[in-house]
Amino acid sequence: MSKQRILSGMRPTGPLHLGHLHGALANWKDMQDKYDCFYFIADWHALTTNYEDTSNTAAFRTEMMIDWLSVGLDPAKSTFFVQSEVKEHAELFLILSMITPVPWLERNPTYKDQIVQMENKDLSTFGFLGYPVLQAADIIMYKAHGVPVGIDQVPHVELTREIVRRFNYMYGDVFVEPKAILTETPKLLGSDNRKMSKSYQNAINLADPPDVVSQKVSVMITDPQRMRKKDPGDPDICNVYSFHKIYSPPEMVEQVNKECRAAEIGCVQCKKLMAANLTAQLEPIYEKRVHFEKNRDEVEDIIKTGSDKAREVAKATMEEVRAAVKI
Ligand code: SF4
């Protein structure tokens, strides 16, 4: 039996960090053996919020591919492509935009949220309102059965399903309705206890060498009530402890929990223990990155081969679409 297909993508808007690793990439890696995976670099989507400054988009695209390969995404198992290398996405987006009612887009919960969150950008554009339609085109172009997403992206997959139903009702059954495959994400905050994000400059990036990782850990905020080593701490409200739970062996997690509450371990020592475990786990990723940074032609070849393969699938889909729409 052939594997079911899944599709997911990321916008190349900056370096990837631990939040991306645990929120998506680790899951993508696990899915490679079970599914026929198509993963794409969503450079047209990067324009929706970064249209004023596109100077780094091409560089971020290559860096993103290097990050993906470094964490173990494998071109022998999955197809990696760049959205703008497959122009068929733009054609399908245009056709879908003709049949998508504007209120469906206006009620998208992330639309209003993002406009508020990014108040320093003018997002009152047609492209920003319509990006879920482009997402729908990205997904259904490959007739993906599933889309691995976090909980906040579920409404987008639901919108895609609605667009598919409308298209199939009007023109005949061309597309399958994709399902959201929910990704469990461990809670990892940035060094300042806010959401880990490049815009807050609080992230541990996948490209950070071990000494930079240790330095970033050393300035992480801990239990704010704990001023001195003799004050008992509460690991449950400490971000360093959240990291321990992911990167340290269970015995150490238990020991830190006990010793923190009994004021038997200081935060400096606790951070050093965690940083050692974190850097040990990131080291293989870092070593692979060094290889791909030296062999950028290999990276570009992987992008080209994947984009060529994706384009073949997209061409076949668009022939069906044009026939169905009679255009
Ligand atoms: S000892 Fe460790 S777990 Fe406790 S507050 Fe300090 S850094 Fe957090």
Side-chain angles (χ1 to χ4, degrees):
M1 221 172 76
S2 62
K3 290 177 183 169
Q4 290 210 323
R5 182 170 288 164
I6 60 159
L7 178 131
S8 200
M10 279 186 187
R11 301 186 325 141
T13 54
L16 299 189
H17 51 65
L18 293 182
H20 297 108
L21 177 61
H22 296 291
L25 295 178
N27 190 37
W28 287 12
K29 187 181 163 192
D30 290 345
M31 291 177 137
Q32 290 186 117
D33 293 317
K34 195 172 167 200
Y35 295 98
D36 174 21
C37 301
F38 276 60
Y39 296 130
F40 73 105
I41 296 170
D43 54 349
W44 279 338
H45 279 287
L47 289 176
T48 54
T49 54
N50 291 21
Y51 58 86
E52 279 178 299
D53 180 7
T54 56
S55 53
N56 288 318
T57 309
F60 286 151
R61 148 198 182 276
T62 309
E63 294 307 307
M64 177 171 274
M65 193 67 243
I66 292 176
D67 279 330
W68 289 5
L69 296 168
S70 305
V71 301
L73 293 181
D74 183 352
K77 296 178 178 175
S78 302
T79 304
F80 307 121
F81 68 96
V82 172
Q83 185 184 33
S84 66
E85 295 287 333
V86 185
K87 310 296 183 203
E88 285 77 3
H89 286 239
E91 184 181 357
L92 185 54
F93 167 57
L94 182 143
I95 291 172
L96 297 182
S97 70
M98 299 298 170
I99 65 165
T100 304
V102 172
W104 288 11
L105 301 173
E106 288 172 330
R107 75 176 187 224
N108 167 17
T110 53
Y111 174 66
K112 289 187 186 114
D113 279 1
Q114 284 183 311
I115 284 189
V116 172
Q117 276 172 27
M118 298 192 213
E119 57 185 359
N120 56 335
K121 296 191 177 184
D122 179 6
L123 297 180
S124 56
T125 60
F126 168 64
F128 188 66
L129 177 68
Y131 82 83
V133 183
L134 180 57
Q135 276 186 340
D138 301 331
I139 298 166
I140 67 178
M141 181 71 86
Y142 301 93
K143 303 195 176 172
H145 301 91
V147 190
V149 285
I151 189 85
D152 56 330
Q153 287 286 311
V154 170
H156 288 170
V157 181
E158 191 45 49
L159 176 67
T160 300
R161 291 164 63 87
E162 284 181 281
I163 292 173
V164 165
R165 287 195 287 269
R166 194 167 166 92
F167 184 98
N168 287 349
Y169 174 75
M170 287 180 174
Y171 304 118
D173 283 342
V174 172
F175 295 113
V176 293
E177 286 184 45
K179 292 190 178 66
I181 304 173
L182 265 184
T183 308
E184 291 283 334
T185 310
K187 192 178 164 205
L188 270 191
L189 299 174
S191 55
D192 56 0
N193 273 7
R194 290 188 291 175
K195 183 182 173 207
M196 193 178 282
S197 163
K198 69 171 180 348
S199 22
Y200 297 147
Q201 299 192 325
N202 64 0
I204 295 174
N205 296 327
L206 300 179
D208 287 342
D211 57 324
V212 173
V213 173
S214 299
Q215 191 277 328
K216 287 184 174 177
V217 169
S218 73
V219 297
M220 280 173 74
I221 292 178
T222 63
D223 170 0
Q225 303 297 320
R226 194 174 190 214
M227 308 303 281
R228 292 164 296 253
K229 186 181 168 187
K230 65 179 184 181
D231 300 330
D234 181 356
D236 292 334
I237 57 168
C238 174
N239 192 28
V240 177
Y241 186 65
S242 302
F243 276 64
H244 267 298
K245 287 197 277 190
I246 295 172
Y247 297 108
S248 301
E251 320 78 72
M252 186 181 287
V253 176
E254 203 176 311
Q255 183 188 346
V256 163
N257 189 322
K258 191 170 122 301
E259 293 184 355
C260 172
R261 291 179 198 281
E264 289 169 354
I265 186 173
C267 294
V268 173
Q269 168 72 1
C270 183
K271 286 176 176 177
K272 280 187 180 157
L273 292 172
M274 192 281 281
N277 294 323
L278 172 59
T279 49
Q281 290 201 31
L282 292 183
E283 207 168 311
I285 297 176
Y286 187 68
E287 278 171 12
K288 276 197 187 163
R289 172 167 255 285
V290 170
H291 164 83
F292 287 115
E293 276 179 356
K294 282 192 197 137
N295 295 280
R296 285 174 180 267
D297 287 353
E298 195 183 327
V299 177
E300 293 302 332
D301 278 351
I302 290 168
I303 292 176
K304 182 176 182 316
T305 305
S307 298
D308 289 347
K309 183 178 165 191
R311 198 177 305 110
E312 287 310 306
V313 179
K315 273 185 182 167
T317 302
M318 287 315 298
E319 276 177 23
E320 280 185 73
V321 169
R322 289 180 210 121
V325 180
K326 300 186 176 60
I327 277 195

